[in-house]
Amino acid sequence: MQCSERTMNNVDSVGPPDPVSNLRPIKYHIPKHESQVERELRLKRIEVAKWNHEFWTNHNLRFIKEREAYKKCLSDKGISTATADQMSEFYKDFLDRNWKTHGINRYSTFMHYILFVLLLYNIYLSLTLLKVSSSSKTECSNEKSNTSYFHLKLSNGRWDSRRMVKTFDNVIIAEQKPSGMVCLATQCSVDRLHSIVELAKNWNGSISTAIYVAGEELYYLQDYVRFLRRCYRSVRQTVTFHLALPANQFPQSTQSGFTTDQLPCHQDPIIVLSNLMKQLPETLKRWRTRMPYPQNHLRNLARLNCQTHYALVTDIDIIPSTDSAILLNTFLSERPKCLKCVYVLPTYEVHKSVNSPKNVAELIQLKSTGLARYFHMEVFKLNQMPTNFLMFEKSSKKYNGLHISHKVPKYQLYYEPFYVSLNNVPSYDERFIGYGYTRNSQVYEMFAAKYEFEVLANIFTFQHSFASQKKKSNYREIQYAENLSLFNKFKKEIAARYLLSHYL
């Protein structure tokens, strides 16, 4: 016993692990005749141990806090257990984001070595002791960043018939499985994607979104989609994303120089996107003047990826009235299926200074004060005239609930309504690229094929701005002229295809 006590008095004493830092406290032995060098080494070891304890206490408290927040996020989604692979993704993401804090510059090379060994040992302890259920790597705040976020390989994809555009289906899939009878199919370029927030909130159903992206825009888009899915539950749950890339504008670098991971969710999505777009190289900011926007490619991509019987094809800034998907699901489920019936949603412009109208009564009130008007009334009245807005408003006032107000009696050239239809309608002709006749060509063919257009009451869509008459840019003038020439040829093709005796 005496020998054992003497031995114990001549060594360092080690206690049980600290519950937070996971490090064992050490009481260093002080030799009876301690030299100056021994004393300095002992004090330096105490200093390193103290710093290491404080560092890992702060580090692990941060880890536990983020883990609990992550578990709560999963709990809100109804997920209570994660696999070991999923958990490893959480650990990796946390360590990747905090690795820079592990660098130490205060100590000598010898102390660096000691501390590095301690850090590796503590990482091992942390991973062992904190191996619990936690995460899904795509929906909450700890998602893999940049190039691995979208599920695509640029070497895959699908070319269009002229190898001008390469498309990628389902690069991000909505959490919520498609339900109901109708899906909203929409499209845009990256700079207009902020509208998806209000669109998803109002629609309240499945959304298939096709985005045209050029070069390094791809990686800025990934960062923005991460922000949207992290901060807006409706986007995360309902929106599935698809991509289209121009053949001569594939990305050269591997990632953007900007990240949205640390941005608070209360930031305006318009401002977040604007800040991202400012980071783009000047060459990418000007590419649209040289590359016509393939609207019909994107409309086909979005609509054909809808997993429901019906689709409503819109542009990204055309917002449906509140809970439109729910109303349409009820309406369509109660009607016998009509293979050649399409249902028009009247479209208005609402001044940007006012709140979005929640129902037809609010819309008509805004219209009476000059804060709402028919879509394209000032810039191109023929675009919507056959809808007959006055009949729609009268029917909406007279009868409650979603119902058919009236039929569009005959086709008028340039008519471009937004409508719900079965997915058996003709595809959008992808020869029409850029400005002019893109939607019009498809509606023209539908009338030739004897589809019936019926206007719905007590539901509508709107654009949150007043369109103004502007002088077309040179490149738009060129695109319009090219599409007009193509449209004249297209009408002859349609007449032959549907055995028409004359052009519509």
Side-chain angles (χ1 to χ4, degrees):
M1 177 65 72
Q2 292 178 351
C3 179
S4 176
E5 287 178 351
R6 284 197 299 271
T7 303
M8 292 292 292
N9 289 335
N10 290 329
V11 298
D12 299 335
S13 300
V14 181
D18 183 89
V20 179
S21 73
N22 296 322
L23 298 180
R24 294 177 178 271
I26 301 174
K27 184 177 180 180
Y28 293 98
H29 166 66
I30 303 176
K32 185 175 181 180
H33 302 290
E34 184 180 48
S35 68
Q36 181 65 25
V37 173
E38 289 175 323
R39 181 175 182 277
E40 290 178 359
L41 178 59
R42 177 174 58 81
L43 294 177
K44 185 65 70 174
R45 293 174 69 194
I46 292 172
E47 181 183 358
V48 170
K50 179 181 177 182
W51 184 93
N52 197 31
H53 170 73
E54 292 174 352
F55 173 87
W56 282 104
T57 296
N58 294 332
H59 178 278
N60 289 346
L61 286 173
R62 186 166 61 251
F63 181 95
I64 293 169
K65 181 179 179 181
E66 291 191 23
R67 184 194 66 188
E68 293 306 311
Y70 204 62
K71 289 173 67 176
K72 184 178 185 303
C73 177
L74 292 174
S75 178
D76 291 342
K77 292 177 57 218
I79 300 174
S80 58
T81 304
T83 65
D85 288 342
Q86 289 172 322
M87 191 59 199
S88 69
E89 293 289 345
F90 172 78
Y91 293 141
K92 180 181 183 302
D93 181 79
F94 179 84
L95 292 174
D96 285 346
R97 287 186 288 104
N98 289 274
W99 179 250
K100 290 184 179 180
T101 64
H102 297 179
I104 310 301
N105 297 317
R106 295 172 54 193
Y107 304 103
S108 65
T109 302
F110 177 69
M111 289 299 116
H112 275 188
Y113 174 77
I114 294 175
L115 184 56
F116 180 71
V117 173
L118 290 173
L119 290 176
L120 290 178
Y121 179 66
N122 198 268
I123 290 173
Y124 169 77
L125 288 176
S126 296
L127 294 177
T128 301
L129 295 174
L130 297 176
K131 189 175 182 180
V132 294
S133 297
S134 200
S135 76
S136 169
K137 61 185 177 182
T138 58
E139 299 84 8
C140 304
S141 59
N142 297 292
E143 297 174 321
K144 296 170 75 174
S145 63
N146 280 328
T147 58
S148 61
Y149 185 62
F150 283 160
H151 306 305
L152 86 159
K153 291 183 179 179
L154 295 177
S155 57
N156 295 336
R158 181 177 63 254
W159 287 107
D160 70 314
S161 60
R162 292 181 289 175
R163 293 186 67 86
M164 295 178 61
V165 178
K166 197 173 193 181
T167 57
F168 300 84
D169 302 320
N170 303 311
V171 297
I172 289 290
I173 300 175
E175 287 181 358
Q176 190 171 282
K177 291 184 178 179
S179 60
M181 301 186 68
V182 61
C183 157
L184 190 149
T186 191
Q187 49 80 29
C188 67
S189 52
V190 179
D191 58 313
R192 296 180 180 269
L193 185 55
H194 58 82
S195 294
I196 196 70
V197 175
E198 185 176 13
L199 190 153
K201 178 183 176 183
N202 275 25
W203 175 248
N204 203 4
S206 298
I207 300 175
S208 175
T209 304
I211 305 172
Y212 194 47
V213 57
E216 279 65 34
E217 276 188 338
L218 172 64
Y219 305 118
Y220 293 87
L221 171 64
Q222 287 186 126
D223 287 331
Y224 190 59
V225 171
R226 284 165 56 81
F227 169 78
L228 293 175
R229 285 171 56 86
R230 173 167 62 88
C231 295
Y232 296 94
R233 183 179 181 183
S234 57
V235 174
R236 188 170 69 244
Q237 289 191 331
T238 65
V239 182
T240 293
F241 292 92
H242 323 285
L243 299 181
L245 279 67
N248 63 346
Q249 285 285 354
F250 273 57
Q252 301 300 315
S253 64
T254 58
Q255 61 184 13
S256 72
F258 189 84
T259 180
T260 60
D261 287 348
Q262 304 304 320
L263 292 179
C265 286
H266 61 75
Q267 287 210 12
D268 188 330
I270 298 177
I271 294 175
V272 173
L273 182 56
S274 175
N275 289 336
L276 273 172
M277 293 294 97
K278 289 176 183 176
Q279 309 296 321
L280 287 173
E282 286 300 321
T283 53
L284 274 178
K285 294 178 182 178
R286 297 191 301 268
W287 71 268
R288 289 179 185 82
T289 63
R290 302 187 302 273
M291 176 60 66
Y293 182 74
Q295 299 183 43
N296 284 353
H297 288 75
L298 294 164
R299 290 179 179 125
N300 288 334
L301 177 61
R303 182 169 70 85
L304 295 177
N305 270 296
C306 278
Q307 302 301 311
T308 54
H309 293 294
Y310 291 85
L312 167 62
V313 181
T314 69
D315 298 332
I316 194 74
D317 58 350
I318 302 299
I319 310 298
S321 52
T322 304
D323 289 336
S324 291
I326 297 172
L327 295 173
L328 285 166
N329 285 336
T330 302
F331 170 79
L332 293 169
S333 64
E334 294 174 350
R335 290 183 63 80
K337 183 181 291 186
C338 176
L339 294 180
K340 288 202 169 183
C341 292
V342 299
Y343 306 102
V344 175
L345 279 67
T347 305
Y348 288 72
E349 295 173 356
V350 174
H351 198 273
K352 62 182 179 181
S353 65
V354 298
N355 294 328
S356 302
K358 295 182 176 61
N359 50 52
V360 175
E362 291 187 11
L363 177 67
I364 293 175
Q365 176 61 31
L366 289 174
K367 179 170 163 281
S368 69
T369 59
L371 295 173
R373 65 190 188 190
Y374 310 143
F375 187 62
H376 281 187
M377 185 177 73
E378 294 295 325
V379 298
F380 192 36
K381 187 179 294 186
L382 294 177
N383 183 267
Q384 299 293 316
M385 184 181 293
T387 294
N388 197 331
F389 290 91
L390 291 178
M391 287 188 67
F392 157 76
E393 292 170 7
K394 182 178 179 180
S395 182
S396 297
K397 288 179 181 179
K398 188 173 182 179
Y399 302 105
N400 294 325
L402 188 58
H403 61 276
I404 293 174
S405 168
H406 59 280
K407 291 185 178 181
V408 177
K410 64 179 181 179
Y411 176 73
Q412 294 184 32
L413 197 61
Y414 309 119
Y415 185 38
E416 292 186 343
F418 295 103
Y419 60 84
V420 174
S421 72
L422 287 168
N423 269 330
N424 66 345
V425 296
S427 295
Y428 294 86
D429 193 307
E430 294 179 356
R431 291 174 297 173
F432 290 90
I433 294 184
Y435 183 76
Y437 297 94
T438 55
R439 279 194 298 124
N440 180 259
S441 59
Q442 196 246 10
V443 175
Y444 183 93
E445 181 174 356
M446 290 175 67
F447 272 98
K450 301 189 182 307
Y451 281 84
E452 293 187 356
F453 285 69
E454 301 177 318
V455 179
L456 296 179
N458 289 311
I459 191 171
F460 58 93
T461 59
F462 64 93
Q463 185 181 63
H464 221 138
S465 66
F466 275 11
S468 58
Q469 195 70 261
K470 298 178 181 177
K471 185 180 183 301
K472 298 184 184 75
S473 58
N474 289 335
Y475 75 91
R476 281 201 167 192
E477 290 281 10
I478 294 171
Q479 292 171 11
Y480 186 88
E482 290 176 346
N483 283 342
L484 174 58
S485 174
L486 175 59
F487 187 65
N488 291 329
K489 176 185 176 183
F490 177 78
K491 287 192 292 184
K492 296 178 182 178
E493 294 176 0
I494 295 300
R497 185 180 305 165
Y498 294 98
L499 304 177
L500 303 179
S501 59
H502 62 281
Y503 303 153
L504 297 176

